[in-house]
């Protein structure tokens, strides 16, 4: 029997639905992390759990010296929804309409568990050692995979089961994400009696905001202003404003040139009003660009062709755990699990897509 043919549809659906019923908003994954640690141990894995709940479950390969391959998914669900009730319909699984479903990314975890069960039940299938990496706090800025001690991993390549779109599609690039805090220092004064003695930080910040690049400013660059805070009362010239902004790009040169435009916009705004500017910035994760000859690309392509799924590659301006694993030297791409309308209350997953995702991924790692 081929590995793909050994995937059990009903078992996979049941695993997925039971995972969905365990609450796990970002930062509140402890119960799910502990339950998964127990389940992976039961399946014959050695399990490492770090202090924030990330799991590395290692299922030994079918022969000595087998290659090690990472399969990654994240256990947190976006936002604050809890008490999620999955509903199985004829061709799909949905929530009851009052919450997200959480197929992002419990579909990924369900597929990984199913693959390990297939290997456990079918010892004749030759397979690599699996490092199942199940992360926390992915949705709030890939926090879990940033924190994870990645030098514990032995994988030579990996697949991150955290994508939508047709089965057979992979994401081969991701951006660097840079976060800014622009602090505009004005000078306080009585706004009615002596406004001329003040420097209005709101006006200076406003000039900066108006001139700052915002939105999809280039096919490979997106920037945005997300938070503005400042001012005390209408009778005080405001002396302090902070503006939080971000920029993401897959292209390092463009990242730098557009970052300079953002900084210049705020500097010019401050100069025009006599305010002072301080800039804090840090890169919260780093971009990657997979090569066509890389193992995740080649293996996922070969598996898609073998199973008759249309293979396609995509670039993304969203961050995933892939960013951190590629940075750590484990070439990885995000693969589709069939999740659809993720982050919304009408999120769903087609049952056939969930099953096909498992068939595709298990073929990719055994081909
Ligand atoms: Zn996700």
């Amino acid at each position: 029997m081929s590995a793909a043919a050994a995937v059990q549809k009903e078992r996979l659906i049941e695993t997925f639905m039971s995972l969905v019923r365990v609450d796990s908003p970002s930062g509140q994954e402890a119960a799910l992390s502990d339950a998964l640690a127990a389940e992976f141990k039961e399946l014959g894995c050695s399990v490492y759990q770090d202090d924030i709940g990330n799991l590395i479950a290692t299922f030994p390969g079918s022969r000595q010296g087998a290659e090690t391959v990472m399969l990654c998914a994240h256990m947190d669900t976006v936002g604050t929804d809890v008490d999620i009730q999955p509903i199985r319909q004829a061709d799909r699984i949905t929530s009851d309409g009052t919450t997200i479903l959480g197929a992002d990314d419990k579909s990924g975890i369900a597929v990984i568990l199913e693959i390990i069960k297939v290997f456990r039940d079918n010892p004749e299938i030759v397979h690599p050692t699996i490092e199942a990496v199940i992360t926390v706090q992915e949705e709030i800025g890939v926090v879990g995979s940033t924190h994870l001690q990645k030098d514990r991993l032995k994988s030579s390549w990996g697949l991150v089961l955290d994508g939508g779109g047709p089965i057979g599609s992979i994401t081969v690039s991701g951006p660097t994400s840079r976060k800014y805090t622009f602090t505009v220092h004005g000078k306080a004064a009585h706004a009615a009696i002596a406004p001329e003695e003040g420097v209005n930080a709101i006006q200076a910040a406003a000039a900066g905001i108006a001139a700052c690049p915002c939105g999809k400013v280039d096919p490979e660059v997106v920037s945005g202003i997300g938070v503005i805070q400042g001012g005390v009362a209408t009778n005080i010239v405001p002396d302090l404003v902070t503006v939080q902004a971000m920029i993401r790009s897959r292209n390092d040169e463009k990242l730098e040139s557009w970052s300079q435009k953002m900084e210049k916009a705020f500097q010019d705004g401050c100069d025009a009003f006599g305010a002072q500017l301080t800039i804090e910035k840090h890169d919260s994760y780093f971009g990657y660009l997979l090569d066509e000859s890389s193992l995740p690309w080649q293996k996922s392509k070969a598996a898609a062709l073998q199973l008759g799924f249309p293979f396609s590659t995509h670039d993304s301006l969203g961050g995933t755990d892939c960013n951190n694993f590629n940075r750590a030297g484990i070439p990885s791409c995000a693969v589709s699990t069939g999740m659809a309308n993720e982050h919304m209350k009408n999120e769903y997953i087609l049952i056939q897509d969930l099953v096909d995702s498992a068939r595709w991924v298990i073929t990719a790692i055994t081909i």
Side-chain angles (χ1 to χ4, degrees), residues 167-170 172 292 296-305 308-314 333 360:
I167 303 303
S169 69
I170 66 171
V172 296
E292 191 173 344
W297 188 315
Q298 287 298 317
K299 299 279 191 176
S300 56
K301 182 178 181 180
L305 294 179
F309 301 137
F311 177 75
S312 60
T313 63
H314 299 275
C333 66
W360 179 36

Side-chain angles (χ1 to χ4, degrees), residues 101-231:
L101 173 61
D104 178 7
D105 187 21
K106 285 169 176 169
S107 55
I109 304 174
V111 166
I112 292 170
L113 286 168
E114 176 61 25
I115 287 171
I116 292 176
K117 288 172 192 171
V118 167
F119 291 153
R120 178 199 59 183
D121 295 346
N122 300 274
E124 76 282 7
I125 297 175
V126 175
H127 64 84
T129 294
I130 303 298
E131 273 179 336
V133 179
I134 316 294
T135 60
V136 296
Q137 301 183 42
E138 191 274 348
E139 295 286 5
I140 54 173
V142 297
V143 173
S145 60
T146 301
H147 179 87
L148 182 73
Q149 273 181 31
K150 290 168 285 293
D151 55 7
R152 286 181 165 272
L153 299 172
K154 302 191 172 51
S155 295
S156 46
W157 61 284
L159 298 173
V160 174
L161 288 75
D162 187 18
I167 303 303
S169 69
I170 66 171
T171 303
V172 296
S173 71
T176 294
S177 169
R178 179 167 294 170
K179 292 193 173 156
Y180 273 105
T181 302
F182 296 103
T183 305
V184 178
H185 305 269
K187 185 164 174 276
H190 196 297
I193 295 169
E196 69 282 1
E197 289 178 11
V199 173
N200 191 315
I202 289 180
Q203 275 190 301
I209 290 167
C212 183
C214 201
K216 281 192 177 162
V217 296
D218 178 283
E220 293 181 306
V221 185
V222 66
S223 65
I225 293 168
V227 180
I228 172 167
Q229 289 169 305

Side-chain angles (χ1 to χ4, degrees), residues 12 64 78 95 103 158 235 276:
L12 174 55
Q64 278 279 319
V78 74
S95 75
N235 62 354
Q276 301 296 315

